Amino acid sequence: MGSTGTVLRELRGAQKSAKGVSLYSRYVNRPAGRVLAAGAYRAGLTPNQVTLVSAAFTYAALAAVALVEPSWTLGLAVYAALAVGFAFDSADGQLARLTGRGGPDGEWLDHVVDCGKLLLVHAAVLISFYRFGELPSDAWLLLPLGFQLAAVVTFCAGLLREQLGKAAAAGAPAGSTAAPVSRVRAVALLPADYGVFCLVFLLLGAPGAFRAGYAALAVVHTLFLAAFLTKWFRELRALRPG
């Protein structure tokens, strides 16, 4: 087993493409995940165990949102746990590529945890609104449901786009070149990045500010959903044979 520095160098060479990744994921979450992956490697953890560590941090934070009265202290603790969970979510894939121990089971587990996270984060906000929020109107209870719909449809549609695209590419002639990584796109994707979304929980101590920030992100994610669905549909239609 090599030194931590050696492992980190090997991990830097085992990164996924930066295409379609926001600046937060590229310069914050992936580097943090690389450090965690190196530590997990030194500790002898498997990629699936790292995925479960990610789930433990994330789901504990979401349970706290639903069960504990909002405060500045809670907001800081929730954000920290969500950020660490997200970094471990990056670490499991990096560890899998480093060790060659990845497989369909690990990818499946990772997607199950991610799907559960997207469902629970907005369910937790809904419960918190209902239990602790002095809402201007009961209509605010619909906001987490709408945000949840946008998040889950984006996640599922993106997975389908990826898998259907791979299936179509398998039968396509070789020689096509990948599009270059766009920094403008990486900046534009920041509002839709889960790591950026987690920042809103730092406002839990100010319920009005939290609702405003959460509502703004819901609108942004809905607009991104419309753009993504249009883009992915056109890309898949272009892959039709003949």
Side-chain angles (χ1 to χ4, degrees):
M1 183 179 293
S3 66
T4 300
T6 301
V7 174
L8 284 170
R9 284 193 294 272
E10 292 178 359
L11 283 166
R12 289 191 189 97
Q15 296 296 301
K16 292 194 296 185
S17 168
K19 182 181 177 183
V21 175
S22 84
L23 287 182
Y24 178 89
S25 286
R26 191 186 307 180
Y27 294 115
V28 178
N29 199 57
R30 284 187 177 180
R34 189 158 58 238
V35 173
L36 294 176
Y41 178 79
R42 298 279 295 173
L45 298 180
T46 68
N48 287 351
Q49 289 171 332
V50 173
T51 300
L52 294 177
V53 172
S54 169
F57 274 98
T58 300
Y59 291 1
L62 299 181
V65 171
L67 301 176
V68 180
E69 185 171 359
S71 67
W72 291 111
T73 301
L74 177 67
L76 182 60
V78 166
Y79 170 71
L82 290 177
V84 171
F86 191 35
F88 271 111
D89 187 31
S90 174
D92 58 6
Q94 297 190 50
L95 181 62
R97 288 187 293 278
L98 174 68
T99 60
R101 298 176 68 179
D105 60 318
E107 187 172 359
W108 175 85
L109 180 63
D110 185 54
H111 288 324
V112 168
V113 169
D114 285 344
C115 187
K117 172 177 68 180
L118 291 178
L119 288 167
L120 289 175
V121 66
H122 301 293
V125 171
L126 175 60
I127 294 170
S128 180
F129 278 179
Y130 180 78
R131 296 187 67 201
F132 308 113
E134 296 180 1
L135 303 176
S137 166
D138 287 344
W140 279 93
L141 296 174
L142 298 175
L143 179 62
L145 296 177
F147 203 158
Q148 183 183 73
L149 175 65
V152 172
V153 171
T154 300
F155 178 75
C156 294
L159 280 180
L160 281 170
R161 164 63 184 94
E162 180 182 0
Q163 296 304 315
L164 292 171
K166 286 180 180 178
S176 59
T177 57
V181 175
S182 168
R183 182 169 291 271
V184 173
R185 178 178 171 83
V187 173
L189 287 172
L190 276 172
D193 193 291
Y194 175 79
V196 174
F197 162 75
C198 291
L199 289 168
V200 76
F201 288 97
L202 290 172
L203 299 175
L204 277 175
F210 175 78
R211 286 197 305 270
Y214 183 79
L217 286 170
V219 171
V220 169
H221 279 245
T222 301
L223 294 175
F224 269 99
L225 171 61
F228 286 148
L229 291 180
T230 301
K231 176 178 181 291
W232 293 333
F233 181 79
R234 289 175 176 172
E235 289 174 347
L236 290 172
R237 185 167 59 181
L239 295 175
R240 286 182 181 177

